[in-house]
Amino acid sequence: MLKKGVERRQVLRALGEVFRAHGYEGASLTLITEATGLGKGSLYHLFSGGKEQMATEVLADIDGWFELNIYAPLREADDPARAIAAMIAGVDQYFHSGDRVCLVGLVALGAARDTFAEAVDSYFARWQVALAQLLRRSGLSRSQAQRRAEDALLTIQGALVLARARNDAGIFRRALSDLTARLLAPPV
């Protein structure tokens, strides 16, 4: 049972930040209890599957946010320029203008990748497909749309890593700004 005033979503967000800061492997129960304010018993009552269930639910929460704010708007948009601008704004907001690492990307690179392979693949694949479909509707060929969508994910993920490595969030913001123009460029 959650402490009064503490919602499951708050617990998931706190868990997400622990996993971002320490990786799945480094997220100890001590770090988790400190971040959530919940004791071990409360945590195991909420997450009987332990740390794996915690991470699974955190990844599902992230997926839900991206479905609502990124994938669905891309799939449903009639105006590619507005949809891409909204995607860029959403990505900038979610990743705190490059100050927040991509937890799904972090999991993909860690030793727990195989444990969460389906969630990781789905996150990236659905984003790429939604963006490629939008680009197809804007007049690009299938191969051009696929390549630009893949390039967009490469740019976003790479910019997050480089911004973090260089401690310069401006790298991320510049990459997003340049990405908009590349995605909307006329077919070649």
Side-chain angles (χ1 to χ4, degrees):
M1 181 145 204
L2 291 175
K3 290 182 179 180
K4 187 175 180 172
V6 176
E7 294 182 24
R8 189 175 193 90
R9 175 162 250 134
Q10 291 172 297
V11 172
L12 291 175
R13 297 237 163 102
L15 287 168
E17 295 311 314
V18 171
F19 292 137
R20 274 186 185 86
H22 303 281
Y24 176 77
E25 296 81 4
S28 68
L29 196 51
T30 299
L31 291 169
I32 290 169
T33 58
E34 287 173 7
T36 62
L38 299 173
K40 293 176 186 181
S42 295
L43 283 169
Y44 280 103
H45 178 74
L46 287 172
F47 304 99
S48 59
K51 189 166 76 167
E52 185 174 329
Q53 182 185 351
M54 293 175 200
T56 297
E57 290 193 32
V58 167
L59 291 172
D61 186 57
I62 291 168
D63 186 71
W65 189 94
F66 273 82
E67 176 59 39
L68 180 66
N69 294 284
I70 304 295
Y71 313 151
L74 288 172
R75 284 192 306 265
E76 298 163 4
D78 294 326
D79 182 343
R82 285 178 57 195
I84 289 170
M87 178 190 79
I88 297 295
V91 165
D92 188 54
Q93 172 200 357
Y94 185 82
F95 293 115
H96 300 186
S97 297
D99 285 332
R100 184 185 210 195
V101 299
C102 177
L103 180 56
V104 180
L106 187 64
V107 169
L109 297 172
R113 184 215 172 278
D114 291 343
T115 303
F116 304 105
E118 187 176 324
V120 168
D121 181 59
S122 176
Y123 168 86
F124 288 112
R126 289 178 30 239
W127 192 350
Q128 185 175 351
V129 166
L131 183 54
Q133 289 171 344
L134 175 77
L135 295 171
R136 286 277 293 141
R137 291 193 306 276
S138 76
L140 294 179
S141 70
R142 180 180 310 277
S143 64
Q144 288 173 325
Q146 288 286 14
R147 183 65 185 129
R148 285 190 191 181
E150 183 179 86
D151 178 63
L153 296 182
L154 289 167
T155 297
I156 291 165
Q157 293 298 313
L160 283 169
V161 171
L162 188 58
R164 178 83 169 177
R166 301 289 317 277
N167 197 28
D168 180 0
I171 292 168
F172 184 70
R173 289 189 297 275
R174 288 188 299 278
L176 291 184
S177 177
D178 294 345
L179 179 59
T180 301
R182 288 197 324 265
L183 286 171
L184 294 172
V188 288

